Amino acid sequence: MAERTDITASELAAELESGTAPLAIVDLRAPGEVARWRVEGDREVPRVERAYWDVLGEPETLAAALPPGAVAVVICAVGNTSAIVADELRSVGVDARNLRDGMAAWSRVHVARTVPGPAAGSYIVQLDRIAKGCLSYVVGTDGGPALVVDPDRHHDEYRAVLDGHRSTLAAVFDTHLHADHVSGAAALAESAGVPYLLTDDAGALRPHRHPGDGEVVFEGGPLTARTVALYAPGHTPGSTGLLVDGRYLLSGDTLFVEGVGRPDLGGHAREWGTELFHTLTERLASLDDGVLVLPAHYQSRRERNPDGIFAALLGDLRRSAEFHESLDDFLADVVAHTAAAPAEYGRIRTVNLGVETMAPELLDELEVGKNQCAAGTTRPGPA
């Protein structure tokens, strides 16, 4: 890493994914803020977590806690206090970089990866919003139409994918009413003058259209898969997956690489959990084991495949406990072991419904923290 005084969030993400620099993270936020979300990557690096009021003006003490020769990346909420502490560390000989704009910038980082396998001329791109553990998608054809699925409000990330493939946005789809982050789907659709598709509206005030179960919602030509809506309630009453080319299931929050979507966010855990059980064991039963499941979230970086994609074959996921329990055991296992939802989730839902509007800086605060959309589980499936 060249000699400099700061590092951008995108540069840090790239360094944590494939770089070799001897990094150490110095996180100056309050312990409660650190617990809600941390800078994470594919390689583990040493961390020093000290509230800024304990180390400001004492660079020698902080430097002594760092591994020798480490490049210290100093982090705070928006990059102001961390800039001061990074300067202090450099004054005592530490190679220290300030994370420019702090965790506010880290929250906006997306890494785009192309899913292998679609027919020539077509593509599926998975966008990984690292700080939130959120995944969204662009499905389309080179030089033709494209569908954006589960986007957040940082639209430039999706426009970059569209531009890179010379594609034109044809529609935007939310697989369900999101609670962990503010959806950008309605606004993106409106800005492009294309349909916004949402089944689980729960009284949504934003203009939208309800796709029917089995409806072809996107077709990009002979080389592109038909994208079919699959009714999959449980995480929310109208959760809907998208089956692309019969081989790829964009599963929303119904099914993850590890675990299933929590059915308790609307306060109807048993009712929604029962629907989730029937979705997993009956509504998805007709899909082949070779279908690749592409979820909307992940809980841990270990869920990534060697190619960097968060995905798993449906047949492999069917070996997990959730597919083999009785309904009563499923409800006990999935619902009883799910932690309380963050208090912010209720308000995020009202924003996504269009019931409430908020200034961008308040939305940033509302979204703080990694998603907690997966249900707990206590038993492995059959060997």
Side-chain angles (χ1 to χ4, degrees):
M1 299 176 67
E3 187 66 30
R4 52 188 289 188
T5 61
D6 65 4
I7 185 172
T8 68
S10 294
E11 290 169 339
L12 178 57
E15 184 63 37
L16 289 172
E17 180 169 345
S18 57
T20 58
L23 298 184
I25 300 295
V26 178
D27 199 324
L28 304 176
R29 295 173 298 145
E33 295 175 357
V34 174
R36 293 184 68 186
W37 59 350
R38 293 174 167 86
V39 168
E40 297 178 289
D42 293 329
R43 63 184 177 109
E44 290 295 325
V45 299
R47 296 175 180 273
V48 177
E49 297 172 350
R50 304 277 180 86
Y52 73 89
W53 54 81
D54 289 334
V55 299
L56 195 61
E58 299 184 15
E60 295 87 354
T61 301
L62 184 55
L66 293 168
V71 178
V73 178
V74 190
I75 297 169
C76 70
V78 295
N80 294 332
T81 304
S82 55
I84 297 172
V85 172
D87 281 341
E88 292 181 344
L89 284 172
R90 285 192 294 274
S91 74
V92 295
V94 176
D95 185 358
R97 319 288 171 85
N98 176 45
L99 178 60
R100 190 187 305 170
D101 299 320
M103 289 298 289
W106 184 253
S107 172
R108 297 189 293 269
V109 171
H110 295 64
V111 177
R113 303 180 181 92
T114 301
V115 177
S122 63
Y123 62 88
I124 302 174
V125 172
Q126 183 182 77
L127 290 101
D128 173 11
R129 187 179 177 189
I130 300 173
K132 295 289 296 178
C134 292
L135 301 168
S136 49
Y137 298 88
V138 183
V139 179
T141 54
D142 293 321
L147 172 73
V148 172
V149 181
D150 289 331
D152 56 49
R153 56 198 174 91
H154 304 292
H155 293 167
D156 288 348
E157 308 292 344
Y158 306 95
R159 294 190 177 109
V161 175
L162 295 169
D163 290 346
H165 287 273
R166 299 171 289 104
S167 296
T168 302
L169 183 61
V172 186
F173 192 103
D174 263 338
T175 57
H176 61 287
L177 183 70
H178 297 282
D180 67 298
H181 70 276
V182 177
S183 170
L188 180 60
E190 182 180 7
S191 69
V194 301
Y196 170 41
L197 307 178
L198 172 68
T199 299
D200 180 16
D201 66 335
L205 302 182
R206 304 180 187 279
H208 61 278
R209 184 173 71 78
H210 297 260
D213 186 28
E215 177 184 341
V216 176
V217 298
F218 174 75
E219 194 164 20
L223 294 178
T224 294
R226 303 168 83 221
T227 300
V228 182
L230 294 179
Y231 182 53
H235 172 66
T236 59
S239 291
T240 302
L242 288 174
L243 185 63
V244 180
D245 196 24
R247 298 186 295 150
Y248 305 93
L249 176 63
L250 276 60
S251 59
D253 282 13
T254 296
L255 182 59
F256 302 126
V257 172
E258 293 186 0
V260 298
R262 58 188 298 172
D264 63 311
L265 295 180
H268 303 281
R270 187 168 185 86
E271 298 94 319
W272 292 12
T274 299
E275 287 294 327
L276 180 60
F277 176 81
H278 291 305
T279 289
L280 295 173
T281 59
E282 299 171 14
R283 297 186 181 101
L284 299 184
S286 63
L287 298 184
D288 188 83
D289 281 350
V291 167
L292 188 69
V293 175
L294 296 163
H297 292 103
Y298 60 90
Q299 307 305 309
S300 167
R301 303 295 295 176
R302 69 173 180 270
E303 296 172 40
R304 282 183 61 186
N305 290 331
D307 61 9
I309 302 295
F310 291 88
L313 292 176
L314 181 56
D316 292 337
L317 298 182
R318 281 175 170 150
R319 288 195 283 270
S320 63
E322 293 89 350
F323 286 85
H324 300 278
E325 297 172 310
S326 68
L327 173 58
D328 287 342
D329 286 344
F330 176 85
L331 292 175
D333 201 27
V334 171
V335 176
H337 297 90
T338 297
E344 296 84 1
Y345 278 20
R347 196 166 186 190
I348 290 174
R349 286 171 62 88
T350 66
V351 171
N352 287 337
L353 286 169
V355 173
E356 181 178 10
T357 58
M358 299 175 65
E361 59 273 16
L362 296 179
L363 294 177
D364 289 339
E365 294 178 12
L366 200 61
E367 287 191 318
V368 168
K370 199 162 185 178
N371 85 84
Q372 297 184 38
C373 295
T377 183
T378 60
R379 293 191 300 274

